Amino acid sequence: MKRGLVSWDRNELPVEEMSARLDAVHALARNKSVDAVVVYSDVWRSNDARYVSNYMPYWNRAFIVTPLGEKPILLCALSPRVYPWIKTVTVHETIVASPSPPATLFKLSAERGWKRVGVVDLDGLPADLHEELTAGKIEIVDIPRTELRPAPTAVEVRMHANAARMAREVLERALATAGARTDHELTGLLERDLRHAGAEDVVVLVSDGEGPPIPAEGRPVGPNTSVVVALEYNGHWAKVTRNLAGVTSSLTSPGEATQLREILSGPYSWENAETAADAEATAIISLQLQIAANGRQFYYGDTCLQNKEGLRVL
């Protein structure tokens, strides 16, 4: 399956944290004069839904609808047989079967007498959902995503740090033991150990020093090998890169190394940080460096908190 076992450890993610987020969504609804705030979710774009209700789908499109003064309602097309499980790992108490989330939202609005509904990042919706929503009879108000989530909370930072620590420990141990002869074997060992450690999703890329990291192709593992591990732990992503040659660079001041910055706390699992606003945003980022040495390309990187004070490795 796409993800491993999804659970809710209330020591890691306290109920009080989710209550504070709900209060913030209600305040946003009042500020925008809307009857409810809607967040879209699918398997690739579940970060915002996870933030609001801790809902992390195995698959499926969904709307998380938060009425003013109430708990979020989940509109999804998953089988009712999984609803009891969903209720154990989210704040949702009400789940409505919804083959078409927009149609169900319109029906709910008619039943509740809602006239104005706020949709987070309206123009970022899939085209068919955008078209259906904006063709309805209720007023749809676009809510910029930065108003829902201006910056990662302290709990989110800690969760990303836990994910980064897991990736770092497993990757560095695997490279130190030299137990794999090919990148296929190395990828298998890493995924096994990361899944056992609690990762829900794992992506492994490998470079032989001649080109960028790519999925395993059966190439030998040797002194020029670099490995990228991206993993999801309880809905929070981390990305860590190491190389067998031990080539490193400062991540807080990477100097002349070619670098790639990706946002891990955005709407998607990870996305390139390309604009000036991305570079200034308070966010969890992946910083990956390409370092030239001995005629080869080595890769090194980690997960960082980016804010006005600079970068801090988590």
Side-chain angles (χ1 to χ4, degrees):
M1 62 178 69
K2 168 69 175 170
R3 299 173 188 255
L5 174 65
V6 174
S7 60
W8 181 3
D9 184 337
R10 287 162 176 76
N11 292 316
E12 281 190 320
L13 179 60
V15 172
E16 293 77 11
E17 168 76 6
M18 298 306 298
S19 296
R21 296 179 189 180
L22 179 59
D23 290 342
V25 177
H26 289 157
L28 182 59
R30 286 191 294 270
N31 182 54
K32 296 293 183 179
S33 299
V34 296
D35 298 301
V37 173
V38 176
V39 173
Y40 169 70
S41 172
D42 61 32
V43 72
W44 297 114
R45 187 175 174 174
S46 60
N47 283 1
D48 292 343
R50 186 263 306 158
Y51 172 82
V52 172
S53 70
N54 207 40
Y55 174 68
M56 294 171 280
Y58 284 101
W59 199 260
N60 205 246
R61 289 171 160 185
F63 281 170
I64 285 76
V65 182
T66 304
L68 185 58
E70 298 181 32
K71 288 189 174 183
I73 299 168
L74 177 62
L75 313 183
C76 72
L78 292 172
S79 167
R81 69 183 175 82
V82 301
Y83 291 179
W85 167 76
I86 290 174
K87 292 178 180 180
T88 68
V89 296
T90 72
V91 302
H92 290 297
E93 296 176 354
T94 303
I95 303 173
V96 182
S98 309
S100 168
T104 307
L105 177 63
F106 293 147
K107 182 175 183 292
L108 187 62
S109 298
E111 293 171 349
R112 299 281 191 105
W114 294 344
K115 303 299 182 183
R116 282 169 52 90
V117 171
V119 177
V120 175
D121 190 17
L122 176 63
D123 287 344
L125 293 180
D128 61 320
L129 296 185
H130 183 279
E131 181 179 4
E132 190 173 353
L133 267 182
T134 54
K137 296 181 179 180
I138 62 172
E139 182 180 356
I140 301 295
V141 178
D142 180 32
I143 297 180
R145 183 179 181 273
T146 52
E147 296 189 29
L148 175 76
R149 302 181 61 190
T153 67
V155 168
E156 288 185 286
V157 172
R158 186 168 67 244
M159 296 285 279
H160 283 284
N162 289 342
R165 189 178 309 113
M166 179 190 302
R168 202 177 295 126
E169 290 175 354
V170 172
L171 176 55
E172 291 177 354
R173 183 169 64 246
L175 295 182
T177 56
R181 293 169 297 176
T182 69
D183 55 8
H184 279 151
E185 292 178 345
L186 181 58
T187 297
L189 290 171
L190 285 169
E191 176 144 11
R192 180 199 65 188
D193 290 350
L194 288 167
R195 296 278 187 180
H196 284 171
E200 293 135 19
D201 204 354
V202 176
V203 177
V204 179
L205 304 176
V206 185
S207 169
D208 61 1
E210 297 289 345
I214 60 175
E217 293 184 330
R219 292 164 296 177
V221 171
N224 300 315
T225 297
S226 299
V227 185
V228 182
V229 166
L231 69 83
E232 183 186 31
Y233 170 67
N234 283 345
H236 297 72
W237 282 89
K239 196 170 186 179
V240 173
T241 303
R242 296 292 186 266
N243 56 77
L244 276 167
V247 176
T248 65
S249 179
S250 170
L251 292 171
T252 55
S253 302
E256 297 301 318
T258 301
Q259 58 177 286
L260 170 67
R261 292 193 185 208
E262 298 168 304
I263 297 177
L264 303 178
S265 56
Y268 299 93
S269 303
W270 61 79
E271 53 188 320
N272 285 356
E274 299 176 337
T275 68
D278 291 336
E280 296 175 357
T282 299
I284 307 299
I285 71 160
S286 157
L287 178 59
Q288 306 298 317
L289 305 180
Q290 176 186 294
I291 307 167
N294 302 322
R296 301 279 183 156
Q297 299 171 9
F298 295 92
Y299 295 86
Y300 179 78
D302 220 310
T303 301
C304 307
L305 172 64
Q306 171 185 279
N307 57 27
K308 62 183 180 180
E309 298 173 357
L311 292 178
R312 174 168 66 87
V313 178
L314 294 180

